[in-house]
């Protein structure tokens, strides 16, 4: 029993000496730019007093119990002599690297350790940009995920509609996930894309709402193909389009209206013809048309511009002229 305990202690000391890292935690330790790092030494068994403690950054001495703090580190470090631990404040990026400690106890036993520190800038200003700017169906688009600050040793994770992104045949990731590339945009690519940029000390998320512009396609005109004179013709044009299309109507090649619904009180046969609706998408800069033939029927329409009173007026006027003509003729005749 006693033998087993002694063996354990010997093994423990032996492994501590050979490993070297022993009294410091395994690295890398990660801290934020401007932050504070506490390098905790764990000397076992803990000593009340050490005869000597020295910390180094690479080959450079930071502080030791014999000569004190090195000028470069003045005001930034505190050495805790009871534990051998070191606090390093106001971290700068070039504080990243390997730190070593040597601790010599009163009895002359020596402990040492090393670990590495990585100082990271906090990530901020993450953004996703689309190139080209306007996503249009059928074209190739790249979404690029970048951060304004903290661009050291970061990783990126893409999501679509808050779920892990599943790459389709149409998509690819480049530059360690910085660029999400679509070979040929499809309406099915619509959705909310997010990119999370992270490093060991921070993360930031950017979003991009993808609305694929397309069309116009499937232009359709609704309305009668035959109509009586005097009735109101209503033709309605529609198209599938993102964003919504604008519409232009032409009759026999002449522009007559510019919105989706065309209405007109039919005044005669000249309203017959081929009504064309052209849909235009100002983002895709594409157009598409449909033609609808309307035939005007019914003869009463020709006089429909004139009410009953108007017709009566014409008749009376005619009678008056005829009477005048007849009377005048008689007068001329008698004078002769
Ligand atoms: C740090 O410790 C590792 C073992 O953990 C050792 O291989 C390495 O040589 C040590 N580095 C220094 C500079 O002491
Ligand atoms: C520091 O970050 C690295 C990844 O870069 C990670 O492997 C390591 O475990 C982190 N260290 C600690 C102490 O969390
Ligand atoms: C060192 O110890 C302090 C106090 O217990 C703790 O807050 C800190 O996280 C430790 N540092 C590391 C690198 O583990
Ligand atoms: C780190 O860089 C700063 C300037 O940015 C310099 O003053 C300082 O001496 C450097 N520290 C080390 C440990 O190299
Ligand atoms: C998208 O990114 C890839 C890789 O960087 C590049 O090869 C391709 O030309 C880019 N495409 C567009 C549309 O910017
Ligand atoms: C978009 O994707 C659907 C389903 O995968 C496919 O049927 C369609 O042809 C695609 N459209 C284009 C324009 O590639
Ligand atoms: C993602 O969300 C958009 C908009 O809410 C929706 O149109 C699309 O179908 C969704 N896509 C997936 C894969 O769930
Ligand atoms: C349009 O063409 C039709 C058929 O040729 C014709 O009957 C109609 O008068 C024309 N209308 C106009 C306004 O040109
Ligand atoms: C109207 O369209 C029809 C069918 O496309 C065609 O037969 C006819 O000649 C067209 N009429 C005019 C006036 O363009």
């Amino acid at each position: 029993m006693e033998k087993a305990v002694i063996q354990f202690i010997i093994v423990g000391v032996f492994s501590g000496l050979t490993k070297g890292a022993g009294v410091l935690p395994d690295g890398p330790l990660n801290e934020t730019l401007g932050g504070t790092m506490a390098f905790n030494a764990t000397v076992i068994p803990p000593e009340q007093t050490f005869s000597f403690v020295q910390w180094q950054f690479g080959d450079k001495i930071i502080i030791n119990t014999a000569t004190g703090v090195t000028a470069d580190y003045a005001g930034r470090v505190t050495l805790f002599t009871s534990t051998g631990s070191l606090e390093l404040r106001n971290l700068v990026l070039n504080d990243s690297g390997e730190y070593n400690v040597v601790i010599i106890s009163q009895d002359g036993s020596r402990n040492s350790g090393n670990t590495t520190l990585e100082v990271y800038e906090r990530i901020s200003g993450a953004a996703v940009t689309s190139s080209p700017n306007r996503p249009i169906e059928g074209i190739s688009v790249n979404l690029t995920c970048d951060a304004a600050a903290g661009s050291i040793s970061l990783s990126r994770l893409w999501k679509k509609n808050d779920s892990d992104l599943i790459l389709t045949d149409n998509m690819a990731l480049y530059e360690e996930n910085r660029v999400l590339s679509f070979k040929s945009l499809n309406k099915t690519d619509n959705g909310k894309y997010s990119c999370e940029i992270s490093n060991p000390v921070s993360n930031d998320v950017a979003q991009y709402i993808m609305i694929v512009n397309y069309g116009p396609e499937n232009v359709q005109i609704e309305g009668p193909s035959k109509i009586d004179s005097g009735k109101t013709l209503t033709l309605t044009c529609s198209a599938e389009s993102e964003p919504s299309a604008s519409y232009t109507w032409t009759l026999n090649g002449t522009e007559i209206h510019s919105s989706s619904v065309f209405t007109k009180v039919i005044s005669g046969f000249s309203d017959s013809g081929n009504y064309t609706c052209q849909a235009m998408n100002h983002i895709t800069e594409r157009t598409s048309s449909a033609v609808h033939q309307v035939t005007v029927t019914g003869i009463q329409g020709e006089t429909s511009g004139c009410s009953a009173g108007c017709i009566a007026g014409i008749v009376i006027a005619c009678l008056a002229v005829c009477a005048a003509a007849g009377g005048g003729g008689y007068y001329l005749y008698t004078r002769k």
Side-chain angles (χ1 to χ4, degrees):
M1 184 60 201
E2 201 176 299
K3 204 176 174 184
V5 171
I6 291 164
Q7 271 181 347
F8 171 74
I9 291 167
I10 289 166
V11 167
V13 169
F14 184 73
S15 67
L17 288 173
T18 51
K19 268 179 88 181
V23 302
L24 291 179
D26 289 337
L29 305 175
N30 307 307
E31 250 316 324
T32 312
L33 180 67
T36 297
M37 186 67 219
F39 294 101
N40 298 332
T42 51
V43 179
I44 298 166
E47 299 286 333
Q48 288 310 304
T49 50
F50 300 120
S51 64
F52 180 74
V53 179
Q54 174 170 285
W55 279 89
Q56 278 179 236
F57 176 56
D59 293 336
K60 188 177 180 177
I61 294 168
I62 300 170
I63 193 168
N64 69 38
T65 50
T67 60
V69 63
T70 305
D72 284 357
Y73 286 92
R76 281 220 294 150
V77 293
T78 302
L79 175 62
F80 298 93
T81 49
S82 62
T83 59
S85 300
L86 181 79
E87 186 181 85
L88 179 58
R89 297 179 292 274
N90 299 327
L91 293 170
V92 295
L93 294 177
N94 62 6
D95 285 328
S96 298
E98 191 171 271
Y99 290 78
N100 308 284
V101 64
V102 173
I103 300 173
I104 297 169
S105 303
Q106 297 288 12
D107 64 1
S109 65
R110 187 178 183 279
N111 280 285
S112 66
N114 71 39
T115 193
T116 52
L117 170 65
E118 297 290 350
V119 179
Y120 294 95
E121 190 176 356
R122 191 169 283 281
I123 292 170
S124 64
V128 173
T129 52
S130 169
S131 168
N133 205 1
R134 302 268 199 197
I136 294 174
E137 186 182 37
I139 70 167
S140 171
V141 161
N142 283 352
L143 298 185
T144 302
C145 176
D146 276 321
S151 50
I152 303 161
S153 180
L154 38 76
S155 61
R156 292 171 173 89
L157 179 68
W158 287 91
K159 291 193 171 188
K160 181 179 182 187
N161 291 0
D162 298 320
S163 304
D164 286 342
L165 179 67
I166 297 157
L167 287 184
T168 64
D169 290 346
N170 189 29
M171 298 181 201
L173 287 166
Y174 297 107
E175 299 176 39
E176 293 174 328
N177 293 357
R178 179 171 170 258
V179 177
L180 171 59
S181 184
F182 298 84
K183 282 171 208 149
S184 169
L185 270 189
N186 191 309
K187 282 170 253 185
T188 56
D189 293 323
N190 276 345
K192 182 179 84 182
Y193 292 82
S194 69
C195 168
E196 179 179 340
I197 309 186
S198 45
N199 67 14
V201 301
S202 63
N203 69 297
D204 197 11
V205 183
Q207 274 186 10
Y208 181 82
I209 307 290
M210 174 84 84
I211 299 169
V212 176
N213 297 290
Y214 67 90
E217 52 197 49
N218 197 16
V219 181
Q220 288 188 327
I221 298 172
E222 277 182 37
S225 50
K226 285 186 164 60
I227 187 162
D228 285 342
S229 229
K231 295 253 172 72
T232 300
L233 173 67
T234 301
L235 298 176
T236 305
C237 187
S238 63
E240 290 166 23
S241 181
E242 177 58 51
S244 298
S246 56
Y247 299 93
T248 308
W249 289 92
T250 51
L251 172 60
N252 299 352
T254 305
E255 187 174 329
I256 50 170
H257 188 63
S258 59
S259 80
S260 61
V261 180
F262 172 72
T263 55
K264 184 175 194 292
V265 178
I266 296 299
S267 59
F269 291 119
S270 68
D271 290 326
S272 295
N274 288 341
Y275 287 79
T276 302
C277 167
Q278 185 187 65
M280 159 92 189
N281 179 323
H282 70 282
I283 299 294
T284 63
E285 295 180 336
R286 292 170 194 161
T287 58
S288 185
S289 310
V291 181
H292 184 81
Q293 193 167 8
V294 175
T295 306
V296 174
T297 52
I299 310 147
Q300 84 277 17
E302 290 294 23
T303 54
S304 71
C306 199
S307 66
C310 160
I311 292 166
I314 290 169
V315 171
I316 289 163
C318 179
L319 288 175
V321 168
C322 294
Y330 177 75
Y331 172 74
L332 287 172
Y333 177 78
T334 51
R335 279 280 297 219
K336 204 168 187 180

